[in-house]
Amino acid sequence: MLLELDHIYKDYLQGSMTVPALKDVTLHVEEGEYLAIMGPSGSGKSTLMNIIGCLDKPTKGSFKLDGRDMLKVKDSHMADVRLHSLGFVFQNFQLLPKESAIDNVALPLIYAGVPKRERMKRAAAALERVGLAERLHFQPNQLSGGQKQRVAIARAMVNNPKILLADEPTGALDSKSSKAILELFGQLNAEGVTVIMITHDSNVAKSARRIVDIFDGEISERSRQEVSQ
């Protein structure tokens, strides 16, 4: 099992009050799955994404990533886990505005200590993989919204992470670009990439092979028949 969350609770303190964000969440994801976690604003989906992405820790529960107990990993080592095991795609792309597409994609490889020549080779291959071989040296202001998201996906994939974690990846895109990005996720998943997507949009969630709903910090699983409808 690639991802194992068992009986996860997450509480936040607001003044003297304890506010529960996640309540007894158990979620297992196998390698190669394409999962959508769907819920409205305030449902707890962002909190769950932050825990899966090793950006936050639960108040209580068990969390294993690729068999490794993440609650025993020191904070000083978490950045290394995120760098090598997780690729992040965000709603607003988070590209460096003055850097070219290839330099944006190569950025994680700098942190990984990859030599420049190899960085450029791998970044170019990642951009070709997402259909942007002709846009290597374009800056973000020269790209459409859909192309910017493709650059962001290439950056997320350049280190060959265990999981591609996408947070509202079509939220800033028009319907045509959204469809193209979802088709790309499907293609990557068919190649063996594990995709976990956070969304509030039921039409976006339906592109996944499996849907988990979250509401008021609790999750429920849809049947395969419900996902296919």
Side-chain angles (χ1 to χ4, degrees):
M1 193 66 65
L2 180 58
L3 180 73
E4 298 172 80
L5 295 166
D6 289 289
H7 305 293
I8 293 290
Y9 291 80
K10 181 64 181 181
D11 299 330
Y12 293 104
L13 284 176
Q14 290 185 355
S16 60
M17 290 181 58
T18 299
V19 179
L22 296 176
K23 308 168 189 174
D24 198 20
V25 168
T26 293
L27 177 66
H28 293 178
V29 180
E30 294 183 7
E31 189 168 354
E33 282 203 71
Y34 184 177
L35 168 70
I37 299 173
M38 186 182 134
S41 178
S43 61
K45 63 183 187 298
S46 294
T47 301
L48 182 56
M49 184 205 74
N50 287 340
I51 290 174
I52 293 171
C54 300
L55 299 168
D56 198 0
K57 289 188 176 182
T59 304
K60 186 169 63 172
S62 170
F63 172 29
K64 291 183 179 180
L65 177 59
D66 202 21
R68 187 178 184 185
D69 187 344
M70 299 312 298
L71 303 186
K72 292 182 179 178
V73 176
K74 294 180 180 178
D75 290 343
S76 58
H77 294 163
M78 275 299 188
D80 192 58
V81 172
R82 291 192 293 269
L83 179 63
H84 294 286
S85 296
L86 300 157
F88 295 88
V89 178
F90 301 98
Q91 178 175 336
N92 293 318
F93 322 127
Q94 296 194 4
L95 302 178
L96 297 176
K98 295 184 179 181
E99 299 293 339
S100 66
I102 194 168
D103 286 332
N104 267 285
V105 173
L107 189 61
L109 300 176
I110 295 176
Y111 298 125
V114 177
K116 185 175 181 179
R117 186 173 181 178
E118 179 65 15
R119 288 201 307 266
M120 293 299 104
K121 180 181 177 181
R122 285 169 60 177
L127 284 165
E128 183 176 1
R129 188 178 184 185
V130 300
L132 288 180
E134 306 300 319
R135 299 288 190 272
L136 301 187
H137 302 291
F138 283 48
Q139 292 186 336
N141 64 3
Q142 298 173 300
L143 300 171
S144 68
Q147 289 171 337
K148 289 176 188 176
Q149 195 60 294
R150 286 177 181 268
V151 173
I153 293 168
R155 179 184 59 193
M157 293 302 303
V158 75
N159 252 349
N160 297 313
K162 295 284 185 181
I163 297 173
L164 180 62
L165 190 57
D167 184 13
E168 300 283 4
T170 63
L173 303 178
D174 59 41
S175 58
K176 183 178 179 181
S177 297
S178 296
K179 182 180 179 182
I181 291 300
L182 293 175
E183 287 175 352
L184 177 57
F185 281 146
Q187 173 190 326
L188 292 171
N189 178 247
E191 293 172 6
V193 177
T194 304
V195 180
I196 300 177
M197 178 170 58
I198 310 293
T199 184
H200 69 278
D201 188 327
S202 60
N203 290 321
V204 171
K206 286 177 182 177
S207 66
R209 296 183 178 181
R210 177 185 171 199
I211 300 175
V212 169
D213 292 290
I214 184 166
F215 188 75
D216 284 347
E218 300 180 274
I219 66 170
S220 59
E221 184 104 14
R222 298 193 193 184
S223 68
R224 291 188 181 275
Q225 184 177 0
E226 287 176 307
V227 173
S228 63
Q229 287 177 350

